[in-house]
Coordinates of all heavy atoms in Angstrom, one line a residue:
M9 N -25.7 46.6 -8.5 CA -26.8 46.1 -9.3 C -26.7 44.7 -9.6 O -27.7 43.9 -9.6 CB -26.9 47.0 -10.6 CG -28.1 46.7 -11.4 SD -29.6 47.1 -10.6 CE -30.6 47.4 -11.9
F10 N -25.5 44.2 -10.0 CA -25.3 42.8 -10.3 C -25.6 41.9 -9.1 O -26.1 40.8 -9.3 CB -23.9 42.6 -10.8 CG -23.6 43.2 -12.1 CD1 -22.8 44.4 -12.1 CD2 -24.1 42.7 -13.3 CE1 -22.6 45.0 -13.3 CE2 -23.8 43.3 -14.5 CZ -23.0 44.5 -14.5
T11 N -25.3 42.4 -8.0 CA -25.6 41.6 -6.7 C -27.1 41.4 -6.7 O -27.6 40.2 -6.4 CB -25.1 42.4 -5.5 OG1 -23.7 42.6 -5.6 CG2 -25.4 41.6 -4.2
Y12 N -27.9 42.4 -6.9 CA -29.4 42.2 -6.8 C -29.9 41.4 -8.0 O -30.9 40.6 -7.7 CB -30.0 43.6 -6.8 CG -29.7 44.3 -5.5 CD1 -28.7 45.3 -5.5 CD2 -30.5 44.1 -4.4 CE1 -28.4 45.9 -4.3 CE2 -30.2 44.7 -3.2 CZ -29.2 45.7 -3.2 OH -28.9 46.3 -2.0
L13 N -29.3 41.4 -9.1 CA -29.8 40.6 -10.2 C -29.5 39.1 -9.9 O -30.3 38.3 -10.2 CB -29.0 41.0 -11.5 CG -29.5 42.3 -12.2 CD1 -28.5 42.6 -13.3 CD2 -30.9 42.2 -12.6
L14 N -28.4 38.9 -9.3 CA -28.1 37.5 -8.9 C -29.0 37.0 -7.8 O -29.5 35.9 -7.9 CB -26.6 37.5 -8.3 CG -26.1 36.1 -7.9 CD1 -26.1 35.1 -9.1 CD2 -24.7 36.2 -7.4
C15 N -29.4 37.8 -6.9 CA -30.3 37.5 -5.8 C -31.7 37.1 -6.4 O -32.4 36.3 -5.9 CB -30.5 38.6 -4.8 SG -29.0 38.7 -3.8
E16 N -32.1 37.8 -7.5 CA -33.4 37.6 -8.1 C -33.5 36.2 -8.6 O -34.5 35.6 -8.6 CB -33.6 38.6 -9.2 CG -35.0 38.5 -9.9 CD -35.1 39.5 -10.9 OE1 -35.2 40.7 -10.6 OE2 -35.2 39.1 -12.1
Q17 N -32.3 35.6 -9.0 CA -32.3 34.2 -9.5 C -32.3 33.2 -8.4 O -32.4 32.0 -8.7 CB -31.1 34.0 -10.4 CG -31.1 34.9 -11.6 CD -29.8 34.9 -12.4 OE1 -29.0 34.1 -12.2 NE2 -29.7 35.8 -13.4
S18 N -32.1 33.6 -7.2 CA -32.0 32.7 -6.1 C -33.3 32.5 -5.4 O -34.2 33.3 -5.4 CB -31.0 33.4 -5.0 OG -31.1 32.7 -3.8
E19 N -33.5 31.3 -4.9 CA -34.7 31.0 -4.2 C -34.6 31.5 -2.7 O -35.6 31.6 -2.0 CB -35.0 29.5 -4.2 CG -35.3 29.0 -5.5 CD -35.6 27.5 -5.5 OE1 -35.8 26.9 -4.4 OE2 -35.6 26.9 -6.6
Q20 N -33.4 31.9 -2.3 CA -33.2 32.4 -1.0 C -33.7 33.9 -0.8 O -34.0 34.3 0.3 CB -31.7 32.3 -0.6 CG -31.4 32.7 0.8 CD -29.9 32.5 1.1 OE1 -29.2 32.0 0.2 NE2 -29.5 32.9 2.2
Y21 N -33.7 34.6 -1.9 CA -34.0 36.1 -1.8 C -35.2 36.4 -2.7 O -35.3 35.9 -3.8 CB -32.8 36.9 -2.1 CG -31.6 36.7 -1.2 CD1 -30.6 35.8 -1.6 CD2 -31.5 37.4 0.0 CE1 -29.5 35.7 -0.7 CE2 -30.4 37.2 0.8 CZ -29.4 36.4 0.5 OH -28.4 36.2 1.3
D22 N -36.0 37.4 -2.3 CA -36.9 38.1 -3.2 C -36.9 39.5 -2.7 O -36.3 39.9 -1.8 CB -38.3 37.4 -3.2 CG -39.0 37.4 -1.9 OD1 -38.8 38.4 -1.1 OD2 -39.7 36.5 -1.5
L23 N -37.7 40.4 -3.4 CA -37.7 41.8 -3.1 C -38.2 42.1 -1.7 O -37.9 43.2 -1.2 CB -38.6 42.5 -4.1 CG -38.0 42.6 -5.5 CD1 -39.0 43.2 -6.5 CD2 -36.6 43.3 -5.6
A24 N -38.9 41.2 -1.1 CA -39.5 41.4 0.3 C -38.6 40.8 1.4 O -39.0 40.8 2.5 CB -40.9 40.9 0.4
T25 N -37.4 40.3 1.0 CA -36.5 39.7 2.0 C -35.9 40.8 2.8 O -35.5 41.8 2.3 CB -35.4 38.9 1.3 OG1 -36.0 37.9 0.5 CG2 -34.5 38.3 2.3
L26 N -35.9 40.6 4.2 CA -35.2 41.5 5.0 C -33.7 41.3 5.0 O -33.2 40.2 5.0 CB -35.7 41.3 6.5 CG -37.0 42.0 6.9 CD1 -37.4 41.6 8.3 CD2 -37.0 43.5 6.7
I27 N -33.0 42.4 4.8 CA -31.5 42.3 4.8 C -31.0 43.4 5.8 O -31.7 44.4 6.0 CB -30.9 42.4 3.4 CG1 -31.3 43.7 2.7 CG2 -31.3 41.2 2.6 CD1 -30.6 43.9 1.4
D28 N -29.8 43.2 6.2 CA -29.2 44.0 7.2 C -28.4 45.2 6.6 O -27.5 44.9 5.8 CB -28.3 43.2 8.1 CG -27.8 43.9 9.4 OD1 -28.3 45.0 9.7 OD2 -27.0 43.3 10.1
D29 N -28.7 46.4 7.0 CA -27.9 47.6 6.6 C -27.3 48.2 7.8 O -27.4 49.4 8.0 CB -28.8 48.6 5.8 CG -28.0 49.7 5.3 OD1 -27.1 49.5 4.5 OD2 -28.2 50.9 5.7
D30 N -26.6 47.4 8.6 CA -25.8 48.0 9.7 C -24.3 48.0 9.3 O -24.0 47.5 8.2 CB -26.0 47.1 10.9 CG -27.3 47.4 11.6 OD1 -27.8 48.5 11.6 OD2 -27.9 46.4 12.2
T31 N -23.5 48.5 10.1 CA -22.1 48.6 9.8 C -21.6 47.2 9.4 O -21.9 46.2 10.0 CB -21.3 49.0 11.1 OG1 -21.8 50.3 11.5 CG2 -19.8 49.1 10.8
Y32 N -20.8 47.2 8.4 CA -20.2 46.0 7.8 C -18.7 46.1 7.6 O -18.3 47.1 7.0 CB -20.9 45.7 6.4 CG -20.5 44.4 5.8 CD1 -20.8 43.2 6.4 CD2 -19.8 44.4 4.6 CE1 -20.5 42.0 5.8 CE2 -19.5 43.2 4.0 CZ -19.8 42.0 4.6 OH -19.4 40.8 4.0
R33 N -18.0 45.2 8.1 CA -16.5 45.2 7.9 C -16.0 43.9 7.4 O -16.5 42.9 7.9 CB -15.8 45.5 9.3 CG -16.2 46.9 9.9 CD -15.3 47.1 11.1 NE -15.8 48.2 11.9 CZ -15.9 49.5 11.6 NH1 -15.6 49.8 10.4 NH2 -16.3 50.4 12.4
V34 N -15.0 44.0 6.5 CA -14.4 42.8 6.0 C -12.9 42.9 6.3 O -12.3 43.9 5.9 CB -14.6 42.6 4.5 CG1 -13.9 41.4 4.0 CG2 -16.1 42.5 4.3
E35 N -12.3 41.9 6.9 CA -10.8 41.9 7.1 C -10.2 41.3 5.8 O -10.5 40.2 5.4 CB -10.5 41.0 8.3 CG -11.0 41.5 9.6 CD -10.5 42.8 10.0 OE1 -9.3 43.1 9.7 OE2 -11.3 43.6 10.6
L36 N -9.3 42.1 5.2 CA -8.7 41.7 4.0 C -7.4 40.9 4.3 O -6.8 41.0 5.4 CB -8.4 43.0 3.2 CG -9.6 43.8 2.9 CD1 -9.2 45.1 2.2 CD2 -10.6 43.1 2.0
D37 N -6.9 40.3 3.3 CA -5.7 39.4 3.4 C -4.4 40.3 3.8 O -3.5 39.8 4.4 CB -5.3 38.7 2.1 CG -6.4 37.6 1.8 OD1 -7.0 37.2 2.8 OD2 -6.5 37.2 0.7
N38 N -4.4 41.6 3.4 CA -3.2 42.4 3.7 C -3.4 43.1 5.1 O -2.7 44.1 5.3 CB -3.1 43.4 2.6 CG -4.3 44.3 2.4 OD1 -5.3 44.3 3.2 ND2 -4.2 45.2 1.4
N39 N -4.2 42.6 5.9 CA -4.4 43.1 7.3 C -5.1 44.5 7.3 O -5.1 45.1 8.3 CB -3.1 43.2 8.1 CG -2.5 41.8 8.4 OD1 -3.2 40.9 8.6 ND2 -1.2 41.7 8.3
N40 N -5.7 44.9 6.2 CA -6.5 46.1 6.1 C -8.0 45.7 6.4 O -8.3 44.5 6.3 CB -6.4 46.8 4.8 CG -5.0 47.5 4.7 OD1 -4.4 47.9 5.7 ND2 -4.5 47.6 3.5
T41 N -8.8 46.7 6.6 CA -10.2 46.5 6.8 C -10.9 47.3 5.8 O -10.6 48.4 5.5 CB -10.7 46.9 8.2 OG1 -9.9 46.1 9.2 CG2 -12.1 46.7 8.4
W42 N -11.9 46.7 5.1 CA -12.8 47.4 4.2 C -14.1 47.5 4.9 O -14.7 46.5 5.4 CB -12.9 46.6 2.9 CG -13.9 47.2 1.9 CD1 -13.7 48.4 1.3 CD2 -15.1 46.6 1.5 NE1 -14.8 48.6 0.5 CE2 -15.7 47.5 0.6 CE3 -15.8 45.5 1.7 CZ2 -16.9 47.3 -0.1 CZ3 -17.0 45.2 1.1 CH2 -17.5 46.2 0.2
A43 N -14.6 48.8 4.9 CA -15.9 49.0 5.6 C -16.7 50.0 4.8 O -16.5 51.3 4.9 CB -15.7 49.6 7.0
P44 N -17.6 49.6 3.9 CA -18.4 50.5 3.1 C -19.3 51.3 3.9 O -19.7 50.9 5.0 CB -19.1 49.6 2.1 CG -19.3 48.3 2.9 CD -18.0 48.2 3.7
E45 N -19.6 52.5 3.4 CA -20.6 53.4 4.1 C -21.7 53.8 3.2 O -21.4 53.8 1.9 CB -19.9 54.7 4.6 CG -18.9 54.4 5.7 CD -18.2 55.7 6.2 OE1 -18.2 56.7 5.4 OE2 -17.8 55.8 7.3
N46 N -22.8 54.1 3.7 CA -23.9 54.6 2.9 C -23.6 56.1 2.6 O -22.9 56.8 3.4 CB -25.2 54.5 3.6 CG -25.6 53.0 3.7 OD1 -25.4 52.2 2.8 ND2 -26.2 52.7 4.8
Y47 N -24.2 56.6 1.5 CA -24.0 58.0 1.1 C -24.4 59.0 2.3 O -23.7 59.9 2.5 CB -24.8 58.3 -0.1 CG -24.7 59.7 -0.6 CD1 -23.5 60.1 -1.3 CD2 -25.7 60.7 -0.4 CE1 -23.4 61.4 -1.7 CE2 -25.5 62.0 -0.8 CZ -24.4 62.3 -1.5 OH -24.2 63.6 -1.9
D48 N -25.4 58.6 3.0 CA -25.9 59.5 4.1 C -25.2 59.3 5.4 O -25.5 59.9 6.4 CB -27.4 59.4 4.3 CG -27.9 58.0 4.7 OD1 -27.0 57.1 4.9 OD2 -29.1 57.8 4.8
K49 N -24.2 58.4 5.3 CA -23.3 58.1 6.5 C -24.1 57.5 7.7 O -23.7 57.5 8.8 CB -22.6 59.3 7.0 CG -21.8 60.0 6.0 CD -20.6 59.2 5.6 CE -19.7 60.1 4.7 NZ -18.8 59.3 3.9
K50 N -25.3 56.9 7.4 CA -26.2 56.3 8.4 C -26.4 54.8 8.1 O -26.3 54.4 6.9 CB -27.6 57.0 8.4 CG -27.5 58.4 8.8 CD -28.9 59.0 8.8 CE -28.9 60.5 9.1 NZ -30.2 61.1 8.9
S51 N -26.6 54.1 9.1 CA -27.0 52.7 9.0 C -28.5 52.6 9.2 O -29.1 53.4 10.0 CB -26.3 51.8 10.0 OG -24.9 51.8 9.8
H52 N -29.2 51.8 8.5 CA -30.7 51.7 8.5 C -31.3 50.5 9.1 O -32.5 50.3 9.0 CB -31.2 52.0 7.1 CG -30.7 53.3 6.5 ND1 -29.6 53.3 5.7 CD2 -31.1 54.5 6.6 CE1 -29.3 54.6 5.4 NE2 -30.3 55.3 5.9
G53 N -30.4 49.6 9.7 CA -30.9 48.4 10.3 C -31.5 47.4 9.3 O -31.1 47.3 8.1
Q54 N -32.6 46.7 9.7 CA -33.2 45.8 8.8 C -34.1 46.5 7.8 O -35.0 47.3 8.2 CB -34.1 44.8 9.6 CG -33.3 43.9 10.6 CD -32.6 42.8 9.8 OE1 -33.2 42.2 9.0 NE2 -31.3 42.6 10.1
V55 N -33.8 46.2 6.5 CA -34.6 46.9 5.4 C -35.0 45.8 4.5 O -34.4 44.7 4.4 CB -33.8 48.0 4.7 CG1 -33.5 49.1 5.6 CG2 -32.6 47.4 4.1
L56 N -36.1 46.0 3.7 CA -36.5 45.1 2.6 C -35.5 45.2 1.5 O -34.9 46.3 1.3 CB -37.9 45.4 2.2 CG -39.0 45.3 3.2 CD1 -40.3 45.8 2.6 CD2 -39.1 43.8 3.6
L57 N -35.2 44.1 0.8 CA -34.2 44.1 -0.2 C -34.5 45.2 -1.3 O -33.6 45.9 -1.7 CB -34.2 42.7 -0.9 CG -33.1 42.5 -1.9 CD1 -32.6 41.0 -1.7 CD2 -33.5 42.7 -3.3
Y58 N -35.8 45.4 -1.6 CA -36.1 46.4 -2.6 C -35.7 47.8 -2.1 O -35.4 48.7 -2.9 CB -37.5 46.3 -3.1 CG -38.5 47.0 -2.3 CD1 -38.8 48.4 -2.5 CD2 -39.2 46.4 -1.3 CE1 -39.7 49.1 -1.7 CE2 -40.1 47.0 -0.5 CZ -40.4 48.4 -0.7 OH -41.3 49.0 0.1
Q59 N -35.8 48.1 -0.8 CA -35.5 49.4 -0.3 C -34.0 49.6 -0.3 O -33.5 50.7 -0.6 CB -36.0 49.5 1.2 CG -37.5 49.5 1.3 CD -37.9 49.4 2.8 OE1 -37.4 48.5 3.5 NE2 -38.8 50.3 3.2
A60 N -33.2 48.5 -0.1 CA -31.8 48.7 -0.2 C -31.3 49.0 -1.6 O -30.4 49.8 -1.8 CB -31.1 47.4 0.3
L61 N -32.0 48.3 -2.5 CA -31.7 48.6 -3.9 C -32.1 50.0 -4.3 O -31.3 50.7 -4.9 CB -32.4 47.5 -4.8 CG -32.4 47.8 -6.3 CD1 -30.9 47.7 -6.8 CD2 -33.2 46.7 -7.0
A62 N -33.3 50.4 -4.0 CA -33.8 51.7 -4.4 C -33.0 52.8 -3.8 O -32.9 53.9 -4.4 CB -35.3 51.8 -4.0
N63 N -32.5 52.6 -2.6 CA -31.8 53.7 -1.9 C -30.3 53.5 -2.0 O -29.6 54.3 -1.4 CB -32.2 53.7 -0.4 CG -33.7 54.2 -0.3 OD1 -34.0 55.3 -0.5 ND2 -34.5 53.3 0.2
S64 N -29.8 52.6 -2.7 CA -28.4 52.3 -2.9 C -27.6 52.2 -1.6 O -26.6 52.8 -1.4 CB -27.7 53.4 -3.7 OG -28.3 53.4 -5.0
Y65 N -28.2 51.4 -0.7 CA -27.5 51.2 0.6 C -26.3 50.3 0.4 O -26.4 49.1 0.2 CB -28.5 50.5 1.6 CG -29.6 51.5 2.1 CD1 -30.8 50.9 2.6 CD2 -29.5 52.8 2.0 CE1 -31.8 51.8 3.0 CE2 -30.5 53.7 2.4 CZ -31.7 53.1 2.9 OH -32.7 54.0 3.4
N66 N -25.2 50.9 0.6 CA -23.9 50.2 0.3 C -23.6 49.1 1.3 O -23.1 48.0 0.9 CB -22.7 51.2 0.3 CG -22.9 52.2 -0.8 OD1 -23.3 51.8 -1.9 ND2 -22.5 53.4 -0.6
Q67 N -23.9 49.3 2.6 CA -23.6 48.3 3.6 C -24.5 47.0 3.3 O -23.9 45.9 3.4 CB -23.9 48.8 5.0 CG -23.0 50.0 5.3 CD -23.4 50.7 6.6 OE1 -22.6 51.2 7.3 NE2 -24.7 50.8 6.9
A68 N -25.7 47.2 3.0 CA -26.6 46.1 2.7 C -26.1 45.3 1.5 O -26.1 44.1 1.4 CB -28.0 46.5 2.6
T69 N -25.7 46.1 0.5 CA -25.3 45.5 -0.8 C -24.0 44.7 -0.6 O -23.9 43.6 -1.1 CB -25.1 46.6 -1.9 OG1 -26.4 47.3 -2.0 CG2 -24.7 45.9 -3.2
A70 N -23.1 45.2 0.1 CA -21.8 44.5 0.4 C -22.1 43.2 1.2 O -21.5 42.2 0.8 CB -20.9 45.4 1.2
R71 N -22.9 43.3 2.2 CA -23.2 42.1 3.0 C -23.9 41.1 2.1 O -23.6 39.9 2.1 CB -24.1 42.5 4.2 CG -24.4 41.3 5.1 CD -25.2 41.8 6.3 NE -24.3 42.4 7.3 CZ -24.2 43.7 7.5 NH1 -25.0 44.5 6.9 NH2 -23.4 44.1 8.5
L72 N -24.8 41.5 1.3 CA -25.6 40.6 0.4 C -24.6 40.0 -0.6 O -24.7 38.8 -0.8 CB -26.7 41.4 -0.3 CG -27.7 40.7 -1.1 CD1 -28.5 39.7 -0.3 CD2 -28.6 41.6 -1.8
G73 N -23.8 40.8 -1.2 CA -22.8 40.2 -2.1 C -21.9 39.2 -1.5 O -21.6 38.1 -2.1
N74 N -21.5 39.4 -0.3 CA -20.7 38.4 0.4 C -21.5 37.1 0.7 O -20.9 36.0 0.6 CB -20.1 39.0 1.7 CG -18.9 38.2 2.2 OD1 -18.0 37.8 1.4 ND2 -18.9 38.0 3.5
D75 N -22.7 37.3 1.1 CA -23.6 36.1 1.4 C -23.8 35.3 0.1 O -23.8 34.1 0.2 CB -24.9 36.6 2.0 CG -24.8 37.1 3.4 OD1 -23.7 36.9 4.0 OD2 -25.8 37.7 3.9
V76 N -24.1 36.0 -1.0 CA -24.4 35.3 -2.3 C -23.1 34.6 -2.8 O -23.2 33.5 -3.3 CB -24.9 36.3 -3.3 CG1 -25.0 35.7 -4.7 CG2 -26.3 36.7 -2.9
G77 N -22.0 35.3 -2.6 CA -20.7 34.7 -3.1 C -20.0 35.6 -4.1 O -20.5 35.9 -5.2
L78 N -18.9 36.1 -3.7 CA -18.1 37.0 -4.5 C -17.7 36.4 -5.8 O -17.6 37.0 -6.9 CB -17.0 37.6 -3.8 CG -17.3 38.4 -2.5 CD1 -16.1 38.9 -1.8 CD2 -18.2 39.6 -2.9
Q79 N -17.3 35.1 -5.8 CA -16.9 34.4 -7.0 C -18.0 34.3 -8.0 O -17.8 34.5 -9.2 CB -16.4 33.0 -6.6 CG -15.1 32.9 -5.8 CD -15.4 33.2 -4.3 OE1 -16.5 33.1 -3.9 NE2 -14.4 33.4 -3.6
V80 N -19.2 34.1 -7.6 CA -20.4 34.1 -8.5 C -20.6 35.4 -9.2 O -20.8 35.5 -10.4 CB -21.6 33.6 -7.7 CG1 -22.8 33.7 -8.7 CG2 -21.5 32.2 -7.2
I81 N -20.5 36.5 -8.4 CA -20.6 37.8 -8.9 C -19.5 38.2 -9.9 O -19.8 38.7 -11.0 CB -20.7 38.9 -7.8 CG1 -21.9 38.6 -6.9 CG2 -20.6 40.3 -8.3 CD1 -22.0 39.4 -5.6
Q82 N -18.3 37.8 -9.6 CA -17.2 38.0 -10.5 C -17.4 37.3 -11.8 O -17.1 37.8 -12.9 CB -15.9 37.6 -9.9 CG -15.4 38.5 -8.8 CD -14.2 38.0 -8.0 OE1 -13.9 36.8 -8.0 NE2 -13.5 38.9 -7.3
K83 N -17.9 36.1 -11.7 CA -18.1 35.3 -12.9 C -19.2 36.0 -13.8 O -19.0 36.0 -15.0 CB -18.6 33.9 -12.6 CG -18.8 33.0 -13.7 CD -19.2 31.6 -13.3 CE -19.5 30.7 -14.4 NZ -20.0 29.4 -14.0
I84 N -20.2 36.5 -13.2 CA -21.3 37.2 -14.0 C -20.7 38.4 -14.7 O -21.0 38.7 -15.8 CB -22.5 37.5 -13.1 CG1 -23.2 36.3 -12.7 CG2 -23.4 38.5 -13.8 CD1 -24.3 36.5 -11.7
L85 N -19.9 39.2 -13.9 CA -19.3 40.4 -14.5 C -18.4 40.1 -15.6 O -18.3 41.0 -16.5 CB -18.5 41.2 -13.4 CG -19.4 41.8 -12.3 CD1 -18.6 42.4 -11.2 CD2 -20.3 42.9 -12.9
K86 N -17.7 39.0 -15.6 CA -16.8 38.7 -16.7 C -17.5 38.3 -18.0 O -17.0 38.4 -19.1 CB -15.9 37.5 -16.3 CG -14.8 38.0 -15.3 CD -13.9 36.8 -15.0 CE -12.9 37.3 -13.9 NZ -12.0 36.2 -13.6
N87 N -18.8 37.8 -17.9 CA -19.5 37.4 -19.0 C -20.3 38.5 -19.7 O -20.5 39.4 -19.8 CB -20.5 36.3 -18.7 CG -19.8 35.0 -18.3 OD1 -18.8 34.7 -18.8 ND2 -20.4 34.2 -17.4

């Protein structure tokens, strides 16, 4: 949810922005891989931002959070 609130403040995103809900993987410093999945275990391709929010698409949210910046999200969560 915080990721979407942050995007709302950005000029780069609005509720009609297309975002990607395909497989997403992040290589971690400890040589592990983090790969979030959606609850339904499906990828949904290009979706509107509001659809990703309404359907809690984890892959789209993780990708969006990484694009916006994890440090910014962490700062918001601390406040």
Side-chain angles (χ1 to χ4, degrees):
M9 183 66 154
F10 293 103
T11 303
Y12 292 97
L13 289 172
L14 181 60
C15 288
E16 185 177 293
Q17 298 172 10
S18 168
E19 292 182 15
Q20 183 178 355
Y21 298 96
D22 62 37
L23 292 175
T25 301
L26 281 173
I27 59 174
D28 190 9
D29 184 60
D30 283 326
T31 302
Y32 184 67
R33 297 187 195 296
V34 176
E35 298 298 325
L36 304 174
D37 291 338
N38 60 3
N39 294 324
N40 287 331
T41 301
W42 176 65
E45 293 182 336
N46 293 324
Y47 180 77
D48 63 3
K49 306 289 187 203
K50 298 177 183 176
S51 296
H52 302 94
Q54 294 288 312
V55 296
L56 297 173
L57 191 142
Y58 85 87
Q59 292 171 313
L61 173 60
N63 292 294
S64 298
Y65 290 158
N66 297 322
Q67 296 170 147
T69 303
R71 181 176 280 107
L72 187 61
N74 199 43
D75 288 348
V76 169
L78 299 178
Q79 293 80 13
V80 175
I81 294 170
Q82 288 172 341
K83 183 178 177 182
I84 288 172
L85 290 173
K86 286 181 182 180
N87 292 332

